Amino acid sequence: MATRSPFRLGTRGSPLALAQAHEVRRRLGDAHAELAEDGAVEIVVIKTTGDRIQDRALAEIGGKGLFTKEIEEALLADEIDAAVHSMKDVPTWLPDGLVVEHILPREDPRDAFFSPHGDSLAALPAGARVGTSSLRRQAQVLIARPDLTVEPIRGNVDTRLDKLAAGTVDATLLAVAGLRRLGKAGRITAALSVEEMLPAVAQGAIGLEIRENDERSRGLLDAICCRDSGLRVAAERAMLETLEGSCRTPIAGLAELSDDGAGLRLRGLLAMPDGSAVFRADLQGSVADPIGLGKALGQELLASAGSDVIDAITGH
């Protein structure tokens, strides 16, 4: 009898991306006996434009879609069965024929702070240099501490921490989720509260993208999907889509479920990259309509900022 083709997971080749792909493979094996066998789930590494260009900020080279484009092309060409993404890297617009319907249980969405000077932005000396290529982090750093200097810094976790150790910068920020998935959480100086540093939309969430008409993949992934994480990500991404956000726009957002699981609280932030203007919104809604909640909060932020500020923030 012919053996069935392996289930192919497409992923970037960074240590974090591979850790996420292995997590998906482990969860699939736990959920389906036939996928627990050796070779039943294949991890296919695909190099993306965002991985190839490391010397410039994402905003300069086209935004976060540069981490998904080549993987989506492989998916459309039937070279893989599912794409494994960090959802914070996925644009709100997807190519025709592709869908993201499955979100794994979300990791800690907070930002990790690293510095030999203390455990918060407040502890940094005047004029200290904070290394980050994220406009979201840059804006919130400068909102809290206008006296600090933000310097662009890209690369994987070890590259960024090596630059900190070498004294190139005085502090840096990374996602707690990625550090936990890499087994490096013990190196975190402190996890910043969401009040101090609101996370990126969908930070800590792994999403699985498939072809819309691929019922085999959909059926296999249904077993590892987390409903609550999906609701939270849907609300946050609806807010982002309403704001037409990109890597050129400092936007933050976090949705959290109420204790009874019936409600959602969504917080959002829109800012100037230099921290000179910031707009915040905080709304409650029902889990029955996370997208409606996200759109409503996005509209509230747009109304608060006004067209002139929006044009200034987005560069239109």
Side-chain angles (χ1 to χ4, degrees), residues 2-261:
T3 56
R4 185 150 202 183
S5 299
F7 188 72
R8 302 160 299 174
L9 297 173
T11 178
R12 296 167 56 201
S14 71
L16 176 56
L18 289 172
Q20 293 180 162
H22 281 95
E23 179 179 343
V24 175
R25 181 162 68 179
R26 175 182 59 77
R27 289 180 181 275
L28 283 169
D30 290 345
H32 305 285
E34 70 273 19
L35 295 185
E37 300 172 4
D38 287 345
V41 178
E42 179 185 354
I43 293 175
V44 180
V45 175
I46 299 168
K47 194 151 193 175
T48 69
T49 302
D51 295 314
R52 286 194 291 267
I53 302 174
Q54 288 288 329
D55 59 347
R56 285 182 285 162
L58 292 179
E60 295 177 13
I61 57 175
K64 59 189 177 182
L66 297 170
F67 287 125
T68 59
K69 179 175 177 288
E70 286 84 357
I71 301 176
E72 289 175 331
E73 289 171 349
L75 192 55
L76 287 167
D78 197 17
E79 294 168 0
I80 57 174
D81 300 301
V84 182
H85 296 303
S86 293
M87 283 305 295
K88 72 174 183 176
D89 292 334
V90 179
T92 54
W93 175 89
L94 300 179
D96 289 343
L98 299 182
V99 292
V100 177
E101 299 172 341
H102 303 88
I103 305 293
L104 295 193
R106 190 176 190 174
E107 253 290 3
D108 189 331
R110 292 177 297 170
D111 286 290
F113 180 77
F114 293 84
S115 177
H117 300 287
D119 62 1
S120 69
L121 291 171
L124 293 176
R129 299 156 300 165
V130 180
T132 179
S133 62
S134 161
L135 291 183
R136 172 190 63 87
R137 289 175 176 143
Q138 171 184 306
Q140 292 186 81
V141 165
L142 295 174
I143 290 163
R145 290 285 306 274
D147 62 299
L148 299 179
T149 299
V150 176
E151 299 185 1
I153 179 173
R154 282 193 62 202
N156 63 29
V157 169
D158 289 329
T159 299
R160 299 188 207 190
L161 295 183
D162 287 346
K163 290 181 179 180
L164 177 64
T168 306
V169 293
D170 298 299
T172 191
L173 296 155
L174 294 163
V176 171
L179 294 157
R180 287 173 62 92
R181 290 188 170 114
L182 288 168
K184 298 178 184 287
R187 299 175 66 176
I188 297 172
T189 305
L192 299 182
S193 72
V194 298
E195 287 75 25
E196 184 172 7
M197 181 69 62
L198 198 62
V201 164
Q203 185 158 292
I206 297 172
L208 297 160
E209 188 175 19
I210 62 172
R211 291 178 293 278
E212 191 171 17
N213 61 359
D214 185 352
E215 292 303 327
R216 181 202 177 209
S217 295
R218 180 174 285 108
L220 292 173
L221 297 177
D222 281 348
I224 64 171
C225 183
C226 175
R227 169 189 170 273
D228 289 354
S229 297
L231 291 169
R232 295 170 63 193
V233 168
E236 293 168 25
R237 282 172 61 80
M239 177 201 75
L240 182 65
E241 183 175 21
T242 300
L243 295 171
E244 298 182 351
S246 70
C247 277
R248 299 179 181 84
T249 313
I251 293 171
L254 181 66
E256 296 170 294
L257 267 77
S258 59
D259 291 341
D260 63 5

Side-chain angles (χ1 to χ4, degrees), residues 262-277:
L264 275 174
R265 177 190 182 188
L266 178 60
R267 284 175 276 185
L269 174 148
L270 177 67
M272 290 288 287
D274 63 2
S276 60

